[in-house]
């Protein structure tokens, strides 16, 4: 029997839909159409970030869909993130207000700190803005700003109703615990890389204990970014024999099996696509269930393999940064 639950309650704000449209690396000109298609298909959850540089396109699609009567703003769940320099404490309000303007909305459902390591905002006012500036030696311009100072500025936005809920992304267990312990408004969501090859069991267990929802980026292994990460495009969970065998037996796609596995674990999935057929297929997760044996077989695929290792910021100037969440 397929599960009927399509959203998870949060500690505050509205329930978070279990399937959202990821928009990382979507090319300019493609995102607006993808969001429009997603809304038509039934998606009510869109994930973006300042650093994705696509909030305006998302805002246009959202505004057009609302004006056309396809959806109301209250039915939509919009997540954005403070990336790099936009997460410097004194920039939080200005950057969030700019997100509101780009997204054509009066409030953001969920605002996340994109990464625990702060980056200089020295080029944030460039056109276009540089969220991740590098110095002349090729080192990312990391600074030692405490992420709790950023989070406290975000709490003020919740007080004012500009943001409905707060969260964090790419934080490790100790960092999640610290935000939980030191915050006035508790984090409602943790967004991390999560898929069958990297199942994040300790983080998921901690978040379940606290009532924090977990959302997964790269939930099918992000095959579209393989070249960027220096990996073979065929080296993907989508082609794992166990995944393929389950998909064939259920008459589903490997992607649907991978996504359904996370959904049955209670993890929100954010598959990224700009292709209509894949946007549709990735949403069709609630008319089937995986058996206990299927879940066990998929659980056994865990390699503790992080695909997004962020080694692009590895440099002798930054390798010992005290807030980096995992070893480089």
């Amino acid at each position: 029997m397929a599960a009927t639950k399509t959203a998870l309650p949060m500690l505050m704000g509205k329930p978070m839909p279990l399937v959202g449209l990821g928009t990382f690396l979507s090319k300019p000109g493609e995102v607006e159409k993808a969001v429009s298609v997603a809304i038509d298909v039934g998606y009510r959850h869109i994930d973006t970030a300042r650093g994705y540089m696509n909030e305006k396109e998302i805002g246009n699609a959202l505004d057009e869909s609302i004006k056309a009567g396809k959806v109301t703003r209250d039915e939509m769940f919009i997540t954005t993130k403070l990336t790099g320099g936009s997460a410097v404490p004194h920039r939080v309000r200005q950057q969030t207000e700019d997100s509101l303007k780009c997204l054509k909305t009066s409030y953001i459902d969920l605002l996340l700190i994109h990464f625990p390591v702060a980056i200089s905002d020295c080029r944030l006012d460039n056109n276009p803005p540089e969220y991740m500036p590098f110095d002349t030696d090729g080192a990312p311009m990391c600074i030692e700003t405490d992420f709790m100072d950023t989070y406290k500025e975000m709490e003020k936005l919740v007080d004012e109703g500009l943001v409905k809920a707060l969260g964090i992304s790419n934080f490790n267990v100790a960092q999640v615990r610290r935000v939980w312990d030191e915050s006035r408004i508790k984090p409602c969501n943790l967004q991390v890389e999560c898929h069958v090859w990297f199942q994040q069991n300790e983080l998921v267990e901690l978040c379940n204990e606290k009532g924090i929802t977990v959302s997964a980026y790269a939930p099918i292994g992000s095959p579209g970014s393989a070249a960027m990460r220096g990996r073979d495009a065929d080296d993907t969970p989508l082609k794992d024999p166990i995944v393929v065998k389950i998909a064939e037996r259920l008459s589903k796609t490997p992607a649907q099996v991978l996504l359904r596995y996370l959904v049955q674990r209670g993890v929100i999935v954010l598959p990224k696509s700009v292709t209509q057929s894949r946007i549709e297929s990735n949403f069709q997760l609630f008319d089937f269930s995986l058996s206990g044996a299927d879940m066990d077989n998929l659980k056994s695929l865990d390699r503790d393999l992080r695909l997004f290792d962020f080694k692009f910021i590895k440099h002798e100037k930054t390798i010992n940064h005290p807030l980096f969440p995992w070893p480089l």
Side-chain angles (χ1 to χ4, degrees), residues 198-211:
F198 192 56
Q199 300 194 22
Q200 298 274 28
N201 293 313
E202 187 178 9
L203 272 172
V204 171
E205 182 179 342
L206 170 63
C207 289
N208 288 342
E209 172 191 317
K210 300 294 188 185

Side-chain angles (χ1 to χ4, degrees), residues 7-116:
L8 294 180
M10 297 215 301
L11 293 171
M12 63 187 302
K14 68 182 71 165
M16 192 172 191
L18 275 161
V19 183
L21 180 70
T23 62
F24 175 56
L25 290 183
S26 295
K27 296 178 182 177
E30 294 182 337
V31 179
E32 186 172 339
K33 181 179 178 182
V35 172
S36 295
V37 167
I39 291 173
D40 289 345
V41 166
Y43 286 74
R44 295 295 179 262
H45 177 185
I46 309 296
D47 180 85
T48 184
R50 296 297 293 159
Y52 296 175
M53 308 283 283
N54 60 20
E55 288 176 324
K56 286 185 178 180
E57 287 192 45
I58 291 170
N60 289 339
L62 181 62
D63 187 54
E64 289 174 7
S65 293
I66 291 172
K67 287 178 177 177
K70 296 178 180 180
V71 71
T72 67
R73 175 62 185 91
D74 286 346
E75 290 173 332
M76 295 299 301
F77 193 104
I78 307 298
T79 300
T80 194
K81 312 175 199 74
L82 295 169
T83 306
S86 67
V88 174
H90 73 269
R91 290 283 197 165
V92 167
R93 175 176 295 277
Q94 175 241 327
Q95 287 293 299
T96 303
E97 289 176 346
D98 196 47
S99 286
L100 290 167
K101 185 183 300 182
C102 291
L103 292 166
K104 297 186 178 181
T105 182
S106 61
Y107 66 92
I108 291 166
D109 293 287
L110 178 64
L111 181 65
L112 308 178
I113 300 177
H114 207 158
F115 200 74

Side-chain angles (χ1 to χ4, degrees), residues 196 199 201 261 294-303:
V196 290
Q199 300 194 22
N201 293 313
Y261 174 68
D294 290 336
M295 293 294 288
D296 289 342
N297 285 331
L298 292 167
K299 183 178 181 180
S300 73
L301 298 180
D302 195 0
R303 303 182 185 180

Side-chain angles (χ1 to χ4, degrees), residues 197 220-227 229-239:
W197 284 357
I220 62 174
S222 191
S225 67
R229 294 180 282 105
R231 301 184 67 89
D232 188 331
D234 289 331
D235 186 19
T236 166
L238 289 167
K239 297 192 176 182

